[in-house]
């Protein structure tokens, strides 16, 4: 045993390093495939930086709902670096070749957002795909994730790679892997790719510049940009365009997607928010440096600017522009503004699209939501006579899959609670550009009627019942955090709470075991007809009220989703009902945190 391996073994004995980290670390020290990184690992071992070593080696970074994502570090099996990115590209190339056969014309579309090392990782992936026999359609500069999905379909590529970590902190990066459909990989392809990634040995690379000269890497951003904006604007709805908008790309790529789409759709009054306009992977002027449109605090400065110039709407997109957030005044011309949740935006856009297209709808047309999306979207769909597909796990890739399974020609709208939306069949992922365009169209229509988005939402509550949702994120980083997440999920499954906020827990839906288990009263456990995944839903005795719990597929955290509902026939004073429902959610959150020990 080498001196370095003895030090690693001693660190395990001293509880400074987990056994799994030691195993992965020793592999990077001794196996030929990691030889380029061994000197860096050895230096870290010599320095005794065991906490960092444990963080970057305690597991092998997995594929989740959004691909392979994590903190960047020059080395480590649980970090984003040249090796783990390279394994992802090599594993994708190997699996696509196995699946399509030797005679297939192989190609891959690749682009990236504004994050650190984005260009480096995009070029690395291109070099690997070329070495594996693929032609690469390469979009220079930064582009949106939905444009990558579009490029895969438009160029009829075998697959696609998007280098982005979406709304994660500046420390992170990732690759999202796409199939020929333009959607993120689904079973069985995800398992096949993972198997190839996990067994990846040598990573072969071509020279980037030489591949360009030989026509094996083809720059195509100008062609794809124009076609993508055409496809986005094709989803527009008729109506007024008199609207003053503050738009923020939050230091990301949105000026390549949202701005040209709004211009083409006839919106002349769009101001790009200056402090967030510069593409910058540090997201310097966003509170907390986290460009996530789910966070109301990121809108504060934008709202102040909107008040200064008399704007009607604030729109913000995340760094890769696949999600949006909105803020609007409570009343026309009013000084009091508020953001809207992802569920509320989804409900508003669902109603807007169905109303605009109701003359062409049939019972065969469908919307798509997930198991943790507001049921208001389903109830709106019911009122227009269209069906809503609801039994999907979290992640827009499942919505994309449902579009193809049920017939793209009948698809109307897809929405998820985390601010992801899609109208149209030009992509198979959420699209911030099309969502921003539709939101502006709705806001302009309402402005002409003397209303705001918030007042329209109230109209929907009066019609379909009051819906209030809340998502609670509990961060659990590192190896200890992963163990804690497993422990919390197991507790929900085996010892579920019998009461939340004074409401009994009627039953537990366990999507991992695919069973429905009675909780409040003794009864028979029954099979659950639905997808299989790490998700638990607690249905309360108060009809329409429930809680979902799941570990995030892209970040080290566990998520609680709470759903409150008051039927329309029980509503008398909407403001009082809202306050009461918020109190219920407060109490529910307190009980959940207490139960889970978080």
């Amino acid at each position: 045993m080498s001196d370095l391996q003895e030090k690693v073994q001693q660190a395990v004995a001293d509880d400074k390093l987990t056994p799994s980290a030691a195993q992965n670390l020793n592999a990077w020290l001794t196996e030929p495939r990691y030889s380029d990184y061994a000197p860096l690992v050895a230096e870290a071992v010599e320095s005794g930086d065991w906490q960092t070593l444990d963080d970057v080696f305690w597991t092998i970074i997995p594929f989740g709902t959004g691909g392979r994502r994590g903190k960047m570090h020059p080395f480590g099996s649980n970090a984003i670096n040249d090796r783990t990115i390279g394994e992802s590209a090599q594993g994708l190339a190997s699996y696509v070749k196995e699946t399509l056969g030797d005679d297939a014309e192989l190609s891959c579309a690749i682009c990236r957002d504004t994050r650190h090392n984005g260009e480096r990782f995009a070029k690395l992936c291109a070099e690997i795909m070329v070495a594996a026999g693929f032609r690469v359609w390469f979009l220079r500069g930064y582009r949106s994730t939905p444009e990558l999905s579009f490029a895969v379909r438009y160029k009829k590529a075998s697959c696609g790679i998007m280098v982005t970590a979406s709304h994660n902190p500046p420390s992170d990066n990732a690759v999202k892997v796409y199939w020929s459909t333009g959607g993120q990989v689904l079973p069985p392809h995800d398992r096949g790719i993972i198997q190839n990634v996990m067994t990846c040995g040598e990573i072969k690379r071509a020279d980037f510049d030489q591949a360009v000269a030989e026509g094996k890497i083809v720059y195509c951003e100008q062609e794809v940009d124009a076609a993508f904006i055409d496809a986005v604007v094709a989803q527009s709805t008729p109506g007024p365009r008199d609207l003053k908008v503050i738009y923020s790309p939050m230091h990301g790529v949105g000026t390549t997607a949202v701005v040209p789409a709004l211009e083409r759709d006839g919106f002349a009054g769009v101001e790009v928010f200056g402090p967030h306009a510069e593409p910058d992977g540090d997201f310097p002027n966003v509170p907390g440096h986290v460009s996530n449109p789910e966070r109301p605090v990121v809108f504060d400065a934008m709202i102040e600017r909107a008040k200064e110039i008399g704007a009607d709407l604030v729109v913000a997109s995340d760094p890769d522009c696949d999600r949006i957030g909105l803020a609007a005044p409570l009343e026309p011309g009013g000084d009091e503004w508020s953001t809207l949740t992802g569920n509320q935006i989804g409900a508003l856009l669902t109603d807007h699209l169905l109303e605009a297209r109701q003359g062409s709808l049939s019972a065969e047309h469908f919307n798509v939501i997930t198991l943790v999306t507001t049921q208001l979207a389903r109830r709106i769909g019911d009122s227009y006579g269209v069906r809503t597909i609801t039994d999907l796990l979290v992640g827009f890739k499942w919505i994309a899959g449902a579009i193809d399974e049920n017939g793209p020609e009948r698809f109307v709208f897809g929405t998820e609670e985390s601010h992801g939306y899609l109208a149209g069949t030009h992509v198979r992922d959420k699209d911030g550009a099309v969502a921003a365009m539709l939101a502006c169209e709705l806001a302009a229509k309402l402005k002409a009627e003397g209303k705001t988005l918030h007042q329209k939402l109230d109209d929907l509550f009066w019609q379909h019942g009051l819906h209030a949702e809340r998502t609670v994120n509990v961060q659990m980083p590192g190896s200890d955090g992963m163990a804690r997440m497993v422990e919390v999920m197991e507790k929900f499954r085996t010892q579920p709470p019998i009461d939340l906020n004074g409401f009994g827990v009627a039953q537990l839906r366990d999507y991992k075991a695919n069973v429905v288990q009675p909780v409040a009263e003794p009864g028979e456990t029954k099979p659950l007809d639905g997808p299989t995944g790490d998700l638990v839903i607690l249905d309360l005795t108060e009809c329409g009220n429930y809680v979902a719990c799941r570990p995030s597929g892209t970040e080290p955290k566990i998520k609680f989703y709470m759903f409150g509902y008051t039927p329309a026939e029980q509503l008398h004073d909407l403001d009082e009902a809202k306050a009461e429902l918020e109190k219920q959610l407060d109490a529910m959150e307190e009980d959940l945190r207490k139960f889970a020990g978080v």
Side-chain angles (χ1 to χ4, degrees), residues 265-283:
D265 195 34
F267 288 97
V270 179
E271 176 184 305
V272 176
F273 185 60
H276 295 172
E278 186 69 24
D280 190 331
D282 284 323
F283 316 125

Side-chain angles (χ1 to χ4, degrees), residues 61-68 88 175 177 185 190 193-194 197-198 553:
I61 196 166
F63 272 77
T65 54
R68 208 176 200 192
S88 302
V175 285
V177 175
V185 288
D190 56 352
I193 293 168
I194 290 168
V197 169
M198 295 301 110

